[in-house]
Amino acid sequence: MTSTEVRPPGPKGRWLVGNTLDYDRDRMGFLRAGHERYGDVFSFDERTIVVRDPDLVHELLIRTNDDFSSASSAVATRFEARTDAETARAWMTARRAGWRGLNRATVIAHTARLRALFERTLDDTGGRAVDVMPLMETYSGRAAADFCLGPDADGIAEVVAENTAAIEPLSGSSQLFPEWFPSRAIRRFRRARDATLDAITTRIHRRRTPHPPDQPRDLLDVLLAAREPEMRELQVQRLIRGILLAAYGVPAASMTWTIHTLVTHPDLWDRVAAESSAWDGDDEPPLSALPQTEAVIREVLRLWPPTWLMGRTAVRPTTLGDWRLSTRDAAMFSPFLLHRDPRWWPDPDRADPDRWLRGETPRKHAYLPFGAGPRVCVGTQLGMIQLTLGAFWLTRNYRVAAPDAAACAPEFHNLLVPQGFRASFTRV
Ligand code: HEM
C-alpha cells in the first residue's frame, strides 16, 4: 500500500457531531492541538484535511483553478463561491483586466484622495471612544468605493456595507441552502446583492466618457477604456462588486490590528511617529520613504493575518503531497499558524519589525497574508499603501486613547479581529 492510498490521521471527534463542537468552542486551540499531535497534515473529518507545511500550502494555492477551486475561501464567502469552470474563467478574464486597473496611475490618483477619506472617518467620531473595527469598515468601504468608482462613488459604501452584513450569517452557517430557498437570510442576501449590482450598473451607464487611458481616475475608467470583446458589461459589474466586497472587511481588520499594535507597543508608535514627523514633502510619501512604517505593517500582517483560515476544494480526484483527495474534498490551512511557526520565525509571537529590516529572507511560502497563486489578492500593493499611509497619518495627526486595548483577545471568526477593541481619536 502506498501512502497516497490513506487519509492522514486526525482526532476522531464525538458521535454524530464529529469535531465541529470542539472546533467551534476554540478554533485556533483546536487547530494548534491537531498539528501538535498529528504533525503538519491531519484530517479534520472524512472530507477535510488541514495542512501546515509551507510547500504543501503553496502547492494548494498555485494549483487553484486547475485542480482546486476557491470555494472554501474565506474571502470568496462560502455561500457565493461558485465552483463551475465557466464562472471561474469569466472571473479570471475580468480579473486580468482589473489587474491593469491596479496600475500605478490609478493607485496614485486614488492615494491623493485617500487621506481626506481617512481623516473624515476619524474626525466624524468627534473624539468619542468608538468600536474600531466598524469604524475601519467605514473607512475601507469609502476607500474601495473611491478606488473603483472615483467621482461616482457616493452611496456605494452603504450598499456594500449592507451586502457584507447580509453575507455574514450565511457564511457562518454550516448549512448550504440553494439561492431560491425562501429563508429570511437568503431573501435579505438577494436584495442586498441586487442593490449593489444595480448601483454599479447605474454608474457604468453614467460614465459615458471615461478619462483617457493614460490618466485614469479609477478602476472603472481603466475597465471601460480597455474593454475587450469578451469583457462584457456583466463582467465589469461582477468584478467591481467582487473588489468592493474584498476591499471592505479584510483591509478594515488589518487597519484595526495596525492601530491596536501601535497603541499597545509605544516603542513601535514612536518609531512610526519619528518617520511621519520627519517627512516634510507636500505630497504623500512613497512607501520607499517609510521603511520603518512598512516593516511595522509587514509585522502586523504576520502576527494578525485577517484571513486567518483559507481553503480550497478539489474539483477532481487528486493528491496533495502524500495524501489522496476525492472530488469536493477540502484542504484548509491557517496563515496565522504558518506565520507563528517557530521553525520559520524566531521568537514568533514577538512584534519585531527589525526582522524585515535586517535583510533576512523569510522561509519561502511561510508568509502569506495576501495568499499566492492565480487567486492571490489583487489589492496587495494598494492594501500595503492604505495600511502604511494609515499608520503615517495616524501618528502624524492624531492622539489615540485605548486604555483597555491590551485586554482584547483575538477573535477567530470569519476574520481575525481584536475582540471589543475601542479607542478615541483626537487631532493634535
Ligand atoms: C490590506 C489588506 C488586505 C489583505 C490582508 C488581503 C488579503 C487577501 C487574501 C489572503 C486573499 C486571497 C484569499 C484566497 O485565496 O482564498 C485576497 C483576495 C482578494 N483581495 Fe485582498 N487583501 C487586502 C486588501 C485588498 C484590497 C485593498 C483590495 C481591492 C483592490 C483587495 C481585493 C481582493 C480581491 C478582488 C480578492 C479575490 C481574488 C480572486 O479570488 O481572484 N484586497 N485578499
Side-chain angles (χ1 to χ4, degrees):
M1 183 173 77
T2 67
S3 57
T4 44
E5 286 167 11
V6 294
R7 304 281 307 178
K12 277 212 168 27
R14 297 162 202 262
W15 186 59
L16 288 180
V17 291
N19 287 308
T20 321
L21 283 183
D22 291 326
Y23 172 71
D24 276 341
R25 207 166 288 139
D26 174 9
R27 296 176 175 192
M28 188 41 67
F30 180 90
L31 296 180
R32 266 191 208 281
H35 284 306
E36 239 156 67
R37 171 130 194 238
Y38 301 101
D40 279 342
V41 184
F42 72 89
S43 287
F44 180 89
D45 58 30
E46 64 279 6
R47 305 303 307 261
T48 312
I49 63 170
V50 188
V51 186
R52 191 184 54 174
D53 174 79
D55 298 326
L56 284 188
V57 166
H58 187 246
E59 199 186 319
L60 185 66
L61 292 178
I62 56 169
R63 285 169 57 201
T64 304
N65 291 353
D66 294 331
D67 299 327
F68 298 100
S69 82
S70 52
S72 28
S73 156
V75 171
T77 75
R78 221 146 35 89
F79 180 71
E80 288 198 83
R82 305 275 281 281
T83 51
D84 57 287
E86 190 50 46
T87 312
R89 256 197 306 280
W91 169 260
M92 290 309 285
T93 314
R95 197 195 132 110
R96 271 191 295 278
W99 207 224
R100 273 172 248 138
L102 290 138
N103 64 18
R104 266 187 80 68
T106 329
V107 171
I108 289 170
H110 165 69
T111 307
R113 303 184 297 254
L114 199 58
R115 177 177 174 178
L117 297 176
F118 184 77
E119 296 189 344
R120 170 153 70 98
T121 307
L122 295 196
D123 294 346
D124 281 354
T125 62
R128 286 179 298 275
V130 291
D131 286 325
V132 180
M133 178 61 186
L135 187 71
M136 289 302 112
E137 283 177 334
T138 302
Y139 165 56
S140 49
R142 288 173 177 167
D146 177 87
F147 177 74
C148 291
L149 297 163
D152 299 315
D154 260 12
I156 289 288
E158 291 73 12
V159 284
V160 172
E162 167 56 14
N163 200 157
T164 309
I167 289 171
E168 166 84 18
L170 299 174
S171 41
S173 160
S174 50
Q175 301 290 323
L176 270 194
F177 293 111
E179 212 192 300
W180 50 261
F181 192 81
S183 87
R184 193 187 273 193
I186 289 179
R187 276 203 305 269
R188 177 184 176 195
F189 162 77
R190 282 213 315 256
R191 262 199 315 274
R193 180 200 52 197
D194 294 347
T196 310
L197 291 174
D198 286 350
I200 296 168
T201 310
T202 313
R203 282 153 183 85
I204 296 175
H205 291 164
R206 209 187 285 162
R207 188 74 59 95
R208 296 246 155 69
T209 44
H211 261 213
D214 55 338
Q215 297 163 27
R217 290 163 300 182
D218 52 31
L219 183 64
L220 185 58
D221 271 345
V222 176
L223 294 177
L224 293 183
R227 184 126 60 132
E228 294 155 14
E230 73 271 33
M231 203 38 203
R232 287 171 290 123
E233 179 173 308
L234 192 69
Q235 277 169 287
V236 175
Q237 185 202 42
R238 294 287 148 109
L239 179 72
I240 290 188
R241 176 170 173 269
I243 290 185
L244 288 170
L245 289 175
Y248 183 77
V250 176
S254 286
M255 197 59 220
T256 302
W257 279 115
T258 300
I259 299 171
H260 184 271
T261 302
L262 290 173
V263 296
T264 52
H265 297 76
D267 55 323
L268 298 189
W269 175 286
D270 290 345
R271 266 196 205 206
V272 174
E275 215 166 51
S276 63
S277 56
W279 174 254
D280 59 3
D282 288 337
D283 293 336
E284 308 311 332
L287 295 202
S288 56
L290 304 174
Q292 296 285 338
T293 312
E294 194 181 349
V296 168
I297 297 299
R298 284 187 193 284
E299 194 62 349
V300 169
L301 289 167
R302 183 185 68 81
L303 287 165
W304 310 111
T307 47
W308 65 278
L309 187 67
M310 288 165 59
R312 295 293 187 255
T313 305
V315 292
R316 62 174 59 90
T318 185
T319 56
L320 184 66
D322 285 340
W323 311 107
R324 177 176 282 200
L325 297 170
S326 309
T327 308
R328 284 191 294 283
D329 281 359
M332 312 293 296
F333 70 94
S334 170
F336 180 90
L337 289 176
L338 271 183
H339 294 179
R340 290 184 183 239
D341 192 322
R343 291 174 296 177
W344 327 126
W345 304 96
D347 204 357
D349 295 333
R350 195 161 79 86
D352 174 19
D354 287 333
R355 65 175 96 230
W356 300 102
L357 297 166
R358 284 192 291 261
E360 293 160 14
T361 324
R363 161 74 159 84
K364 230 172 160 193
H365 316 315
Y367 183 65
L368 296 170
F370 295 101
R375 306 301 288 266
V376 67
C377 174
V378 294
T380 304
Q381 188 201 3
L382 184 64
M384 281 305 292
I385 291 175
Q386 288 181 350
L387 296 174
T388 310
L389 288 181
F392 172 87
W393 295 318
L394 187 75
T395 53
R396 197 168 152 100
N397 300 327
Y398 290 88
R399 198 173 49 241
V400 184
D404 302 324
C408 297
E411 186 180 37
F412 294 91
H413 194 55
N414 278 355
L415 294 174
L416 172 58
V417 290
Q419 199 171 24
F421 175 40
R422 290 173 68 76
S424 63
F425 303 89
T426 322
R427 283 254 188 192
V428 288

